[in-house]
Amino acid sequence: SESLVVCDVAEDLVEKLRKFRFRKETNNAAIISKLKSLPTKGISPDELKDELKTFIVYSYKYQHDDGRVSYPLCFIFSSPVGCKPEQQMMYAGSKNKLVQTAELTKVFEIRNTEDLTEEWLREKLGYFH
């Protein structure tokens, strides 16, 4: 069955995400997508809490237990609380379209913004390794 398409992902955002995926910097960084995508550099998981009304693509410097370092792209979102079912459907459809378009595989939902910590993110990423 086909997903409900409620939005298109702007070509400039697709291009920003492509460049973001292959960036050379080794710091944590995020693209926070509201009406426009705004790249934000040098941001910690704790600082992302204020942005969870949006979609976040987060490049995180992940130190594995064996000493290797990787930079996974994490898609972090929080479903809006207290909005109408139609708005929830639009949000979900928009989220799915962005995940598919950007080919994101590490997709994490968070219910309480206070839960967004370094430990939470490391635990989520631990399931992939």
Side-chain angles (χ1 to χ4, degrees):
S1 75
E2 237 177 89
S3 294
L4 173 66
V5 177
V6 296
C7 72
D8 287 319
V9 179
E11 281 302 316
D12 65 329
L13 177 57
V14 172
E15 182 62 19
K16 281 181 185 176
L17 289 167
R18 188 190 65 74
K19 287 180 180 175
F20 191 64
R21 180 182 301 271
F22 298 109
R23 71 192 194 95
K24 302 293 185 215
E25 295 87 356
T26 59
N27 63 326
N28 295 338
I31 290 182
I32 300 165
S33 182
K34 294 181 183 184
L35 294 177
K36 294 184 176 184
S37 60
L38 305 170
T40 305
K41 297 191 179 205
I43 189 167
S44 72
D46 286 338
E47 292 168 319
L48 290 177
K49 291 176 185 174
D50 294 336
E51 301 300 335
L52 280 175
K53 298 174 194 84
T54 60
F55 300 132
I56 298 169
V57 179
Y58 190 47
S59 175
Y60 176 68
K61 183 176 182 178
Y62 183 69
Q63 179 99 25
H64 298 262
D65 292 338
D66 63 5
R68 291 176 300 121
V69 176
S70 64
Y71 299 89
L73 282 186
C74 306
F75 183 77
I76 303 170
F77 70 97
S78 176
S79 295
V81 177
C83 63
K84 296 177 182 175
E86 298 84 18
Q87 292 170 315
Q88 288 276 9
M89 286 177 51
M90 289 184 69
Y91 180 87
S94 301
K95 173 191 67 82
N96 292 340
K97 180 70 172 176
L98 182 58
V99 167
Q100 289 172 348
T101 301
E103 299 176 353
L104 299 167
T105 58
K106 294 167 181 64
V107 179
F108 308 128
E109 180 175 17
I110 192 154
R111 294 288 183 181
N112 181 350
T113 59
E114 295 304 311
D115 293 338
L116 180 54
T117 63
E118 191 112 19
E119 293 75 26
W120 176 86
L121 186 56
R122 290 189 58 76
E123 179 184 325
K124 293 293 186 186
L125 288 169
Y127 295 123
F128 289 90
H129 303 286

